[in-house]
């Protein structure tokens, strides 16, 4: 179980990190972290209360080890009748299950699928999948009020009620905090089980609680060994481990100190067997640190380019299993080190080390937040997009339509919604990309069905943007990113370019009890976030794809290439 980090950096960066570790030692950071000293992150009394209410993850490995027998008994009983499980949540309630589903696809238990999007094509696909075999449904929400999983739960509960009547609830379980509306609903509908999570664990820190471990256990993942790895990391990061030898604090010192020196784009290079870990890390870092105009921008799943494609704002983190090395990837990492880019290397002995990495990165994120002077346990800007969405859906309830502006410009399969239109779409895109700023980033926000081909085309666009502008690029699928990088987009630095992409829906599905469909729900989420981004001074433009998505993305890629070739305005 490797605990140590590899770290290669120019001498000035290395010296700064060592000085920071010395400072953390003098300030007794590790002891104060484990003692729950909220002043490490904030002097505000309300903020300190939020911190104290959010440190339960420190004891989660031990707490869940004590609950292991109950988890395993429940899983054994359920596998007797069910063949698969559908986990429904958003953000911290779904990302760890997504990691488990994709990292352990053949763990020997129930087939595990995770639904965390309002995309109707995806919901209909999950509906067909669930109809194919006896399915156990999990509705997961810490607050018990998160709109998306409640809507998913209503959709599938209505399906099961049509088939099983009053016994429909027997096919459902809930994971939530005590006393939430979801807990009450589960009681009223006679859900098979409610797993009550610890209230002092925030969503993004909940991977090693019931939110992550219930679906993992049902899927047949060896949760006992997972927890053993997590306990080992917790002990290595414990109060008697000084910062320089503390696996989590050392990593946090690297991230926090280098961000203070301008390297605030934490770029993950993750080997394929554990690649989904990058998606989980996105939320942990962005939602914890992206506030007060600063933060760490996690860059996940960006194709690794040549050293010359990167500016001086990058910190690279290479995460791999032992043996997953060699080839062109290693050559490019060596080139990055030679070019003076700092590179952290995290080696895992096998995929079960995912659990120890969950804990290491939670400690590291808390540490980096303290160094940056921000509260790593709140998310002050997440609610704004939700409020905008709800306001738009209220209009739908009253007027039976979603208000949308007319496009400012069209080009075949593309419709642009821009503040100012140029002579043609390529020129408008050139103006938009020309508004980039040094040290900024470009975010593609895709309210599209997440298919391999769509992902390939979007990845090609972001790689072209990165190679031409030397800016970090991110790709988030809506609405998932709203519960992840969405906090950083609104609370972090105002130096992003946001290309928000919507599309016609090929199929749709109703939201039970509402006068709108999931397609309208998703569009309202997109429009609500676009409004929030602009209100925070971010430069954002919407592109709507009409007709077949892949053909429209081809056109967008071609016009993006033309816009970048035209140059646009220089970065200012």
């Amino acid at each position: 179980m490797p605990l140590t980090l590899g770290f290669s950096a120019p001498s000035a960066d290395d010296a700064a990190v060592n000085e920071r570790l010395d400072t953390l030692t003098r300030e007794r950071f590790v002891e104060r972290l484990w003692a729950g000293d909220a002043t490490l992150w904030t002097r505000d009394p309300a903020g300190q209360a939020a911190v104290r209410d959010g440190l339960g993850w420190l004891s989660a490995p031990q707490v869940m080890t004590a609950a292991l027998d109950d988890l395993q008994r429940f899983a054994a009983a359920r596998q007797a009748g069910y063949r698969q499980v559908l986990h429904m949540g958003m953000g911290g309630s779904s990302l760890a299950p997504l990691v488990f589903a994709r990292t352990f696809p053949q763990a020997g238990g129930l087939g595990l699928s995770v639904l965390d999007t309002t995309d109707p094509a995806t919901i209909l696909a999950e509906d067909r999948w669930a109809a194919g075999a006896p399915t156990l449904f999990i509705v997961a929400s810490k607050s018990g009020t998160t709109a998306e999983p409640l809507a998913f739960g209503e959709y599938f509960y209505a399906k099961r009620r049509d088939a099983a009547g009053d016994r429909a609830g027997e096919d459902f379980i809930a994971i939530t905090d005590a006393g939430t509306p979801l807990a009450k609903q589960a009681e009223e509908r006679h859900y098979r089980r409610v797993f009550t999570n610890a209230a002092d664990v925030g969503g993004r820190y909940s991977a090693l609680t019931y939110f992550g471990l219930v679906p993992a256990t049902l899927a047949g993942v060896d949760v006992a060994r997972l927890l053993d790895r997590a306990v080992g990391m917790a002990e290595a990061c414990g109060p008697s481990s000084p910062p320089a030898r503390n696996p989590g604090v050392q990593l946090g010192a690297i991230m926090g100190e280098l961000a203070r020196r301008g390297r605030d784009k934490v770029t993950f290079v993750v080997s394929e067997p554990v690649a989904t870990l990058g998606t989980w890390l996105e939320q942990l870092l962005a939602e914890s640190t992206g506030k007060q105009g600063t933060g760490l921008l996690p860059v996940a799943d960006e194709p690794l380019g040549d050293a010359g494609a990167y500016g001086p704002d990058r910190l690279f983190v290479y995460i791999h299993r032992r043996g997953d090395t060699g080839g062109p990837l290693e050559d490019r990492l060596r080139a990055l080190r030679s070019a003076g880019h700092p590179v952290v290397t995290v080696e895992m002995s096998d995929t079960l080390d995912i659990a120890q990495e969950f804990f290491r990165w939670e400690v590291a994120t808390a540490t980096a937040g303290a160094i940056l002077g921000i509260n790593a346990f709140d998310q002050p800007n997440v609610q704004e997009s939700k409020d905008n969405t709800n306001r738009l859906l209220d209009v739908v309830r009253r007027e039976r339509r979603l208000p949308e502006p007319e496009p400012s410009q069209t080009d075949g399969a593309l419709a642009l919604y821009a503040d100012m239109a140029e002579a043609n779409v390529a020129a408008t895109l050139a103006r938009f990309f020309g508004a980039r700023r040094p040290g900024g980033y470009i975010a593609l926000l895709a309210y599209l069905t997440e298919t391999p081909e769509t992902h390939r085309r979007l990845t090609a666009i972001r790689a072209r943007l990165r190679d031409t502008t030397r800016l970090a690029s991110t790709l988030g699928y809506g609405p998932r990113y709203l519960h992840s990088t969405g906090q950083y987009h609104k609370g972090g630095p105002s130096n992003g370019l946001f290309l928000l992409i919507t599309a016609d829906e090929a199929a749709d599905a109703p939201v039970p009890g509402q006068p709108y469909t999931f397609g309208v729900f998703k569009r309202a989420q997109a429009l609500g976030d676009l409004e929030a981004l602009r209100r925070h001074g971010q430069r954002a433009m919407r592109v709507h794809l009409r007709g077949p998505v892949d053909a429209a993305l081809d056109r967008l890629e071609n016009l993006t290439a033309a816009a970048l070739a035209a140059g646009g305005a220089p970065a200012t």
Side-chain angles (χ1 to χ4, degrees):
M1 185 170 69
L3 300 179
T4 57
L5 296 170
F7 180 50
S8 171
S11 58
D13 287 340
D14 189 53
V17 170
N18 286 327
E19 183 177 343
R20 174 60 62 180
L21 289 167
D22 290 341
T23 299
L24 293 174
T25 300
R26 290 194 303 272
E27 294 176 348
R28 300 176 53 253
F29 176 83
V30 180
E31 298 95 321
R32 292 167 64 195
L33 165 67
W34 283 90
D37 184 351
T39 63
L40 290 171
W41 295 278
T42 179
R43 296 290 177 180
D44 173 66
Q48 289 179 3
V51 172
R52 287 189 292 270
D53 290 342
L55 290 173
W57 55 272
L58 285 166
S59 59
Q62 291 82 3
V63 170
M64 294 310 298
T65 297
L68 185 59
D69 286 346
D70 179 49
L71 276 174
Q72 292 175 331
R73 283 194 300 270
F74 180 79
R78 297 285 58 78
Q79 289 187 40
Y82 294 102
R83 297 280 301 279
Q84 54 196 29
V85 56
L86 179 61
H87 184 95
M88 300 175 287
M90 293 299 299
S93 299
S94 64
L95 286 172
L98 190 68
V99 172
F100 290 129
R102 295 185 181 177
T103 306
F104 304 95
Q106 296 177 323
L110 305 181
L112 173 60
S113 187
V114 177
L115 177 61
D116 66 343
T117 177
T118 49
D119 175 63
T122 303
I123 292 168
L124 291 170
E126 294 288 4
D127 191 358
R128 292 189 293 271
W129 179 79
T135 301
L136 181 64
F137 300 90
I138 300 176
V139 185
S141 168
K142 174 178 171 60
S143 67
T145 61
T146 310
E148 296 95 335
L150 292 184
F152 305 152
E154 289 299 321
Y155 179 85
F156 285 99
Y157 182 80
K159 292 275 183 176
R160 291 303 302 140
R161 188 177 54 205
D162 288 344
D166 292 340
R167 299 190 64 181
E170 295 178 8
D171 292 333
F172 286 77
I173 65 175
I175 308 173
T176 188
D177 284 3
T180 67
L182 175 57
K184 181 180 179 181
Q185 181 186 77
E187 180 181 359
E188 293 170 346
R189 292 179 173 179
H190 306 292
Y191 280 15
R192 186 170 291 276
R193 177 75 184 263
V194 177
F195 286 93
T196 303
N197 213 60
D200 60 352
V201 181
R204 58 187 176 275
Y205 292 88
S206 66
L208 296 171
T209 69
Y210 285 126
F211 284 108
L213 297 184
V214 169
T217 305
L218 289 167
V221 179
D222 192 339
V223 172
R225 293 177 67 193
L226 281 176
L227 286 170
D228 183 65
R229 305 287 177 93
V231 168
M233 180 60 77
E235 291 173 349
C237 294
S240 63
S241 181
R245 295 199 302 273
N246 188 303
V249 174
Q250 180 193 17
L251 176 58
I254 293 170
M255 292 193 297
E257 187 58 36
L258 292 193
R260 287 169 55 88
R261 296 171 63 84
R263 292 191 177 272
D264 58 351
K265 312 300 189 301
V266 183
T267 304
F268 295 105
V269 182
V270 188
S271 63
E272 185 57 35
V274 291
T276 314
L277 180 61
T279 304
W280 180 82
L281 288 168
E282 271 189 324
Q283 186 201 21
L284 180 68
L285 288 184
E287 199 167 75
S288 298
T289 71
K291 54 199 76 168
Q292 298 177 26
T294 187
L296 302 168
L297 177 68
V299 182
D301 202 28
E302 184 185 60
L304 191 61
D306 295 329
Y310 302 102
D313 57 350
R314 300 277 192 148
L315 165 64
F316 292 90
V317 180
Y318 176 37
I319 305 174
H320 66 93
R321 296 184 312 177
R322 184 179 296 151
D324 295 337
T325 56
L329 181 62
E330 294 284 342
D331 293 338
R332 289 195 168 184
L333 287 165
R334 279 193 292 271
L336 289 169
R337 295 184 185 100
S338 297
H341 291 290
V343 179
V344 171
T345 301
V346 177
E347 183 182 80
M348 301 166 56
S349 57
D350 55 37
T351 50
L352 289 170
D353 272 356
I354 282 280
Q356 75 170 32
E357 293 310 317
F358 284 151
F359 195 87
R360 184 209 303 265
W361 282 91
E362 287 168 354
V363 172
T365 301
T367 304
I371 292 170
L372 293 172
I374 54 181
N375 185 346
F377 303 99
D378 65 356
Q379 47 281 333
N381 302 108
V382 168
Q383 188 62 37
E384 184 175 352
S385 291
K386 296 179 184 180
D387 291 342
N388 292 344
T389 297
N390 289 335
R391 189 183 70 254
L392 290 169
L393 292 176
D394 283 341
V395 174
V396 176
R397 292 185 183 98
R398 292 193 307 270
E399 302 180 9
R400 296 298 190 265
R401 66 176 185 85
L402 181 66
E404 286 203 57
E406 290 295 319
S408 53
Q409 202 165 32
T410 61
D411 182 308
L414 303 182
L416 261 63
Y417 297 79
D419 292 336
M420 182 180 298
E422 298 295 327
N424 52 57
V425 167
T428 302
L429 287 170
R431 178 185 179 88
F432 177 69
F433 294 130
R436 61 190 183 270
R437 297 174 184 171
Y441 63 103
I442 301 176
L444 300 182
L445 308 179
Y447 286 80
L448 308 175
T449 305
E450 190 177 353
T451 68
E453 184 58 23
T454 293
H455 190 75
R456 184 191 68 79
R457 292 171 190 270
L458 290 169
T459 299
I461 293 173
R462 72 183 288 206
R464 185 185 294 274
L465 289 166
R466 187 272 316 278
D467 292 344
T468 304
T469 67
R470 299 182 75 225
L471 296 184
S473 71
T474 65
L475 168 59
Y477 286 93
R480 178 189 297 149
Y481 79 82
L482 293 176
H483 300 260
S484 176
T485 53
Q487 167 62 42
Y488 183 95
H489 295 163
K490 271 85 75 175
S494 297
N495 59 2
L497 286 179
F498 298 86
L499 195 63
L500 190 144
I501 307 171
T502 58
D504 295 337
E505 303 294 351
D508 214 338
V511 178
Q514 298 293 345
Y516 51 81
T517 64
F518 277 103
V520 171
F521 188 5
K522 184 176 77 167
R523 184 71 58 82
Q525 289 176 301
L527 297 177
D529 194 47
L530 182 64
E531 179 182 338
L533 289 168
R534 288 173 171 167
R535 185 175 296 159
H536 282 271
Q538 298 282 28
R539 287 147 298 168
M541 181 167 66
R542 176 187 170 200
V543 177
H544 184 76
L545 313 181
R546 303 188 293 194
V549 167
D550 290 341
L553 285 175
D554 274 344
R555 182 59 178 159
L556 179 60
E557 182 177 3
N558 291 336
L559 289 171
T560 297
L564 294 172
T572 57

